[in-house]
Amino acid sequence: MEALNNFVGMLNGPIWGVGMLILIVGSGLYFTIRLGFFQFAHFGDMWKRILDKGDSESGISTFASFCTTMAMRVGTGNVAGVAVAIYTGGPGAIFWMILAGMTNSAVCFVECVLSSLYKTKIDGEYRGGGPYCAERGLGWKPYAIFLAFVSFIGIGCFMPAAATNTIADGFQKSLGIPMIATAIVIAAIMAVVIIGGVKRIGTVASFIVPPMVIIYLLAAVAVLIINIGEVPHMISIVVQSAFGPKSLIGGGIGIAIQQGVKRGTFSSASGMGESMPPAAAAETSHPVKQGMANAAGVWLDTVIVCTASGLMILLTDAYNTKFGYTSQRFAEQLAGEEGGVFYVQMAASSVMGAIAPTFIAIMLALFSFTCLISYYYEAETAMIYVFEGEGKEGIRKTATWVLRIAMIALICYYGVAAPDLAWGLADLALGSITWINMVVVLALSPKAFALYKDYREQMKAGKDPYYNPDKLSWKGVDVALWKEINKKRIAEDK
């Protein structure tokens, strides 16, 4: 086990090095500038698009798609991931994580616009994602198969590691429940949800995500109000750690930036393409509308929910750092703790008392479980791409069942795996897929810019924007599909 952990760590070194910072931050800044800082200029429109109506037998509503995407985003990284960032990079990592979230929203916007543009219909349901964009938009069939294969293995087999392990760890620390018992329960519930397909996944996500986010944010607000006097001191140590030289609080600006971007990217999954399949599954009249909704999701996930976790931890001094800083308030409880959910549990206990560890464990279970069902959908979409085509329905069904059984079995294993290995595997999957997927997103980004211009022109003309492939289209776009979606509007404008 230790040898495997060391091997995974060795692979993660170059994958999450300086190159990743340049790729994600650089792309985010480039897209932000090319799109005229849309995430600020169209801030209200971004949030309004979440509630766009539209549902059909082939696609889910924008809200259901948003919730399915948020089910993936608002998860382990928002709680345990933030704690890991603070332990490894110091409090300054929070600053860089927030900044990464703002620019990552532009990356998410572009990839979701492209996924919606190049979607198609398979077995009566809309499907799309990085592989579809690579083949249809760029004509890179071998690369598309490679991306689908890596996504299928990474998201289906490795990404569930951190989520499952963190749920089991949270209940063990709060209620003493054996980790394997929690893992078995998670696996059983997963089986019930994923067998129902994308419609059930969207329904479950729409039911769970909104209340769980609201409840968690209310808990964070309570911690903020009670510790309001600590805010100036907290800001001081965040700035010192984010921009200052090495200290007992943090490891300096380089490590703070690395951890902030890494955890911000893990939480939002911008660039990895995790939000692309749910974006393609939505019934929407214009690709940019779906891009707007998903960009708002990055703000909610990283800028708001992750910040809430960071505030709880820092305001209550419920953290240690690997550079020597030890909590004064929870020194005994946090002795030997290297990040993780326990930091947030201790922070909440300062306000909620003994019930806090259980409350956070339940919140984390909901966060992480919704991640798991979203991971399944993404892996299934990648797998279906590999076996796309007429006459392969039987192969697709068989492969789908193999995926379901394998993922359920792996969830049981990850429940008792070493935390370092679980997080290492998840980071390995996220980083690898991000590098491969971003090549496609960058190559096709001019299409997203053109669609955004078309969207803005229609908005300025007082219209409800819709996509007309006769006006703006490229090779690989399913023209017949888009004409069917917007046939009424196209007919009216003739």
Side-chain angles (χ1 to χ4, degrees):
M1 185 69 71
E2 184 176 351
L4 177 60
N5 191 25
N6 291 337
F7 178 70
V8 171
M10 180 186 70
L11 294 176
N12 274 323
I15 287 175
W16 284 99
V18 176
M20 179 65 81
L21 299 182
I22 296 173
L23 176 68
I24 295 299
V25 176
S27 297
L29 289 172
Y30 169 64
F31 292 158
T32 295
I33 293 170
R34 283 298 306 270
L35 293 166
F37 295 85
F38 85 96
Q39 62 267 62
F40 303 102
H42 289 269
F43 187 78
D45 190 32
M46 216 167 49
W47 292 95
K48 184 178 71 174
R49 291 303 171 194
I50 295 172
L51 301 177
D52 276 356
K53 296 181 179 180
D55 202 350
S56 70
E57 293 182 0
S58 302
I60 58 179
S61 69
T62 297
F63 182 70
S65 172
F66 170 81
C67 288
T68 302
T69 304
M70 291 308 297
M72 168 270 296
R73 287 199 179 113
V74 181
T76 312
N78 296 84
V79 183
V82 174
V84 169
I86 292 174
Y87 173 78
T88 309
I94 299 299
F95 173 85
W96 296 108
M97 184 167 60
I98 294 171
L99 188 62
M102 292 179 179
T103 55
N104 279 351
S105 65
V107 176
C108 178
F109 172 85
V110 171
E111 63 183 3
C112 288
V113 168
L114 294 172
S115 183
S116 183
L117 173 66
Y118 288 107
K119 69 183 177 183
T120 188
K121 190 183 292 187
I122 301 175
D123 297 336
E125 293 182 342
Y126 295 145
R127 294 283 182 176
Y132 295 86
C133 292
E135 179 188 355
R136 293 172 172 274
L138 297 170
W140 297 355
K141 179 68 174 180
Y143 192 89
I145 293 175
F146 174 63
L147 174 54
F149 181 77
V150 174
S151 299
F152 167 61
I153 297 298
I155 299 174
C157 299
F158 294 159
M159 285 297 288
T164 304
N165 191 268
T166 304
I167 296 174
D169 182 56
F171 279 112
Q172 183 186 55
K173 283 185 167 63
S174 62
L175 298 174
I177 298 175
M179 294 179 71
I180 184 62
T182 301
I184 291 173
V185 171
I186 296 169
I189 299 174
M190 269 291 292
V192 173
V193 175
I194 63 180
I195 288 174
V198 64
K199 287 285 188 177
R200 183 176 296 174
I201 290 172
T203 300
V204 171
S206 299
F207 179 75
I208 295 177
V209 170
M212 80 177 186
V213 171
I214 292 171
I215 292 171
Y216 187 73
L217 291 178
L218 288 175
V221 170
V223 172
L224 173 62
I225 292 173
I226 292 176
N227 295 277
I228 194 70
E230 297 296 323
V231 171
H233 176 66
M234 181 198 70
I235 294 175
S236 174
I237 62 172
V238 167
V239 172
Q240 179 183 344
S241 177
F243 297 99
K246 290 185 177 180
S247 67
L248 289 178
I249 295 176
I253 184 171
I255 297 176
I257 293 175
Q258 182 191 48
Q259 285 300 311
V261 172
K262 183 177 182 179
R263 288 304 153 202
T265 301
F266 185 99
S267 181
S268 70
S270 296
M272 181 187 182
E274 276 192 349
S275 57
M276 294 173 77
E283 188 72 55
T284 185
S285 62
H286 199 294
V288 169
K289 290 183 177 179
Q290 197 57 42
M292 288 282 190
N294 285 91
V298 176
W299 277 73
L300 177 59
D301 166 79
T302 308
V303 180
I304 298 177
V305 180
C306 282
T307 301
S309 294
L311 286 175
M312 285 196 285
I313 292 170
L314 297 179
L315 284 173
T316 59
D317 193 36
Y319 68 97
N320 300 326
T321 74
K322 68 182 299 181
F323 308 101
Y325 179 80
T326 302
S327 170
Q328 303 300 306
R329 188 173 183 179
F330 298 102
E332 182 178 346
Q333 295 94 324
L334 296 178
E337 290 288 336
E338 300 180 356
V341 63
F342 199 50
Y343 283 12
V344 186
Q345 288 176 319
M346 285 296 97
S349 70
S350 66
V351 174
M352 303 173 64
I355 195 177
T358 302
F359 168 77
I360 295 298
I362 293 172
M363 285 290 98
L364 186 59
L366 292 173
F367 282 11
S368 300
F369 179 75
T370 54
C371 271
L372 290 174
I373 61 176
S374 183
Y375 290 156
Y376 168 78
Y377 176 67
E378 327 260 333
E380 181 190 76
T381 298
M383 179 271 298
I384 286 177
Y385 172 81
V386 175
F387 301 109
E388 181 183 5
E390 294 183 5
K392 296 183 180 180
E393 292 84 358
I395 298 176
R396 286 198 293 272
K397 288 182 180 179
T398 300
T400 297
W401 277 104
V402 170
L403 172 62
R404 290 169 178 171
I405 294 171
M407 191 168 178
I408 290 168
L410 284 170
I411 285 173
C412 292
Y413 167 71
Y414 289 139
V416 294
D420 285 350
L421 177 60
W423 277 95
L425 288 172
D427 283 343
L428 178 62
L430 174 65
S432 301
I433 300 170
T434 298
W435 276 106
I436 301 170
N437 186 68
M438 279 302 295
V439 172
V440 178
V441 174
L442 285 166
L444 289 173
S445 60
K447 310 293 191 300
F449 303 152
L451 285 167
Y452 178 62
K453 180 181 178 182
D454 174 67
Y455 175 87
R456 289 185 63 196
E457 288 173 350
Q458 292 189 57
M459 287 284 287
K460 288 181 179 179
K463 298 180 179 179
D464 177 22
Y466 76 96
Y467 175 55
N468 185 349
D470 287 335
K471 176 184 176 184
L472 188 65
S473 186
W474 299 272
K475 182 179 179 181
V477 173
D478 193 333
V479 173
L481 176 66
W482 277 107
K483 284 190 174 182
E484 176 63 26
I485 291 172
N486 290 323
K487 60 182 179 181
K488 184 177 179 180
R489 295 289 303 278
I490 294 173
E492 290 174 350
D493 285 350
K494 282 187 177 179

